Amino acid sequence: MTRIDATFAKLKAEGRRAFVSYIMAGDPDVETSLELMKGLPAAGVDIIELGLPFTDPMADGPTIQEAGQRALAGGMTLQKTLDMVAEFRKGDDTTPVVLMGYYNPIYSRGVDRFLADARTAGIDGLIIVDLPPEEDDELCIPAGRAGLNFIRLATPTTDDKRLPTVLQNTSGFVYYVSITGITGAAVAQAVDVAPEVARIQKAASLPVIVGFGIRTPETAREIAGVADGCVVGSAIVAEMAKGRPVDEVLAFVASLAEGAHSA
């Protein structure tokens, strides 16, 4: 059982929804992003999604693209991201960490080496947005063998014919993208999300977590109320971009977590 599996089992036993937060590794610098990461569990975050900076983040909106560019400009690399997770693990051995990004940096490192290093660092799962199910032999299946969850995205355009293919080797949870398009582009609506989540839950024996378009505690509560939890990314990254102190950003995260947990 991975930390992700254990977290969802605990939440289910407690009758609570999950709150997942996304931050970009190295934004605005390694020290600040590590400080933020270390503070997330106490702010109510159940699972941390850690963005791996990449030069061509095609699925991300301007907020996360700019965060990645700031991180890269500051010298952030895949190795430094793994080091950041290892440092986080010195003080937290229970909160799941999911690395979210694109395949190119992993391919460049070598899949076997990357998976071994990711396990050693303390990463629990992967979301690699540019690897479709047809490419599962590239990383998804090897990741499963290495003991990492491979989390797949489902979208409003994932119809009943496509859904079984998407779910085939998915583990940990299913990430449902609530809107079409890039991150931060619109506001999620529970009335639209609910039937889609129910459809995926019927087809999968996994929790369904909803992301994209969640920026307020109220929306977090509404979306978590029709799913197994929710993800907030762009709204948190935007607070960091404003140069706010980490404690203020964590207070904002805590308000979002409270919203999700009150569902």
Side-chain angles (χ1 to χ4, degrees), residues 120-162:
T120 299
I123 289 171
D124 305 287
L126 303 172
I127 301 175
I128 307 301
V129 298
D130 56 346
L131 274 182
E134 288 76 14
E135 306 294 335
D136 274 358
D137 288 340
E138 286 280 333
L139 182 61
C140 175
I141 292 173
R145 291 181 185 141
L148 277 72
N149 292 125
F150 198 91
I151 295 130
R152 188 78 68 193
L153 303 181
T155 74
T157 60
T158 306
D159 60 20
D160 289 339
K161 183 178 179 180
R162 178 66 174 169

Side-chain angles (χ1 to χ4, degrees), residues 58 157 195 212 261:
M58 59 186 180
T157 60
F212 286 47
H261 290 149

Side-chain angles (χ1 to χ4, degrees), residues 183-204:
T183 57
V187 177
Q189 301 291 335
V191 66
D192 298 323
V193 168
E196 292 300 301
V197 169
R199 181 171 66 93
I200 297 167
Q201 288 173 328
K202 186 177 179 181

